[in-house]
Amino acid sequence: MKPIRFGSAVLLSAALGSLSLPALAQQQTISGRDNGFSYTYLQGGYEVGDIANPEADVDALFFEGSYAFDPNLFLRGGVNFYDGELDGRFSPDVDGERIHLGLGFNTLLQENLDLVVTGDVVRVRADVDGGRSDSETGYALGAGLRHRTTDKIELSGGAFHEDVEDSDTGLYGQALYKLQPQVDLGARVAVGGDTGTFGLFGRYNF
């Protein structure tokens, strides 16, 4: 996973730049309108790769949700159940879960383009071969853009920073394809100093 991180980061940076250019060209926001993005949904999927907290190479099942209680604010949360190997000399097996709960803010920048900022409290538990168990609590922050590229496709991407046991900073990207009016198929990637993950998921929008 590590050899492709720098290439992935360059591609994500280029994608973010292409999304932000229309917003920079149009300096005014569009008042009294919204882009109709759904911030109330449930989703679940499968993710593989390297994670930072704990530093491990894992496979994970994840279930997440979001609830918009205001046009510009939403609650979000989720859980990852992971299984894999710790990074290090002996690479012991590890399993556990990562739970996050937080708040998100979204605002319209221009037609078909939203700014999205999130902040989560994160709790991680890890059980390592040999009977050792550990848990840590920290936080994760994110900021990026969400763009309706076509009637069927949404693209989003931005930057993240998290500090649970160790800190990590990087870029993320996500694509959604609308299978039905309320059902999306998604793919996402995250690339950081100690992170390199790829996931596929399904989403149901309310």
Side-chain angles (χ1 to χ4, degrees):
M1 196 82 188
K2 296 182 190 291
I4 67 169
R5 287 181 182 172
F6 295 106
S8 300
V10 171
L11 290 174
L12 284 171
S13 299
L16 286 174
S18 66
L19 289 178
S20 61
L21 284 176
L24 294 175
Q26 180 175 330
Q27 296 298 320
Q28 299 180 9
T29 60
I30 305 172
S31 60
R33 298 174 58 189
D34 66 69
N35 282 312
F37 290 122
S38 172
Y39 289 95
T40 300
Y41 58 80
L42 291 174
Q43 64 185 30
Y46 180 73
E47 194 166 65
V48 297
D50 297 327
I51 60 173
N53 295 294
E55 291 188 7
D57 183 9
V58 301
D59 302 326
L61 290 174
F62 63 88
F63 302 93
E64 299 168 344
S66 175
Y67 174 72
F69 62 92
D70 178 90
N72 299 107
L73 294 171
F74 56 95
L75 290 171
R76 49 184 258 125
V79 58
N80 288 41
F81 299 100
Y82 59 83
D83 178 70
E85 294 182 345
L86 286 179
D87 292 343
R89 182 177 177 184
F90 299 106
S91 300
D93 290 339
V94 60
D95 62 77
E97 67 267 352
R98 171 190 174 101
I99 301 171
H100 70 270
L101 180 65
L103 186 66
F105 168 77
N106 61 276
T107 187
L108 180 149
L109 293 179
Q110 67 171 45
E111 188 174 3
N112 295 323
L113 184 67
D114 273 11
L115 170 69
V116 183
V117 179
T118 60
D120 299 326
V121 175
V122 180
R123 176 75 170 175
V124 175
R125 184 192 63 83
D127 293 329
V128 183
D129 273 358
R132 192 184 76 192
S133 182
D134 191 20
S135 60
E136 297 285 346
T137 301
Y139 67 88
L141 305 173
L145 302 174
R146 183 174 181 180
H147 183 254
R148 180 178 290 109
T149 308
T150 71
D151 290 341
K152 293 285 188 179
I153 297 174
E154 288 182 21
L155 298 177
S156 57
F160 70 87
H161 175 77
E162 68 172 48
D163 193 337
V164 182
E165 181 178 12
D166 298 307
S167 64
D168 194 29
T169 301
L171 301 174
Y172 71 87
Q174 178 174 280
L176 291 173
Y177 179 78
K178 190 167 294 298
L179 294 175
Q180 297 180 11
Q182 291 178 287
V183 180
D184 299 326
L185 179 64
R188 67 189 191 186
V189 61
V191 182
D194 294 309
T195 302
T197 62
F198 175 77
L200 295 173
F201 61 93
R203 173 183 291 185
Y204 185 85
N205 300 285
F206 292 92

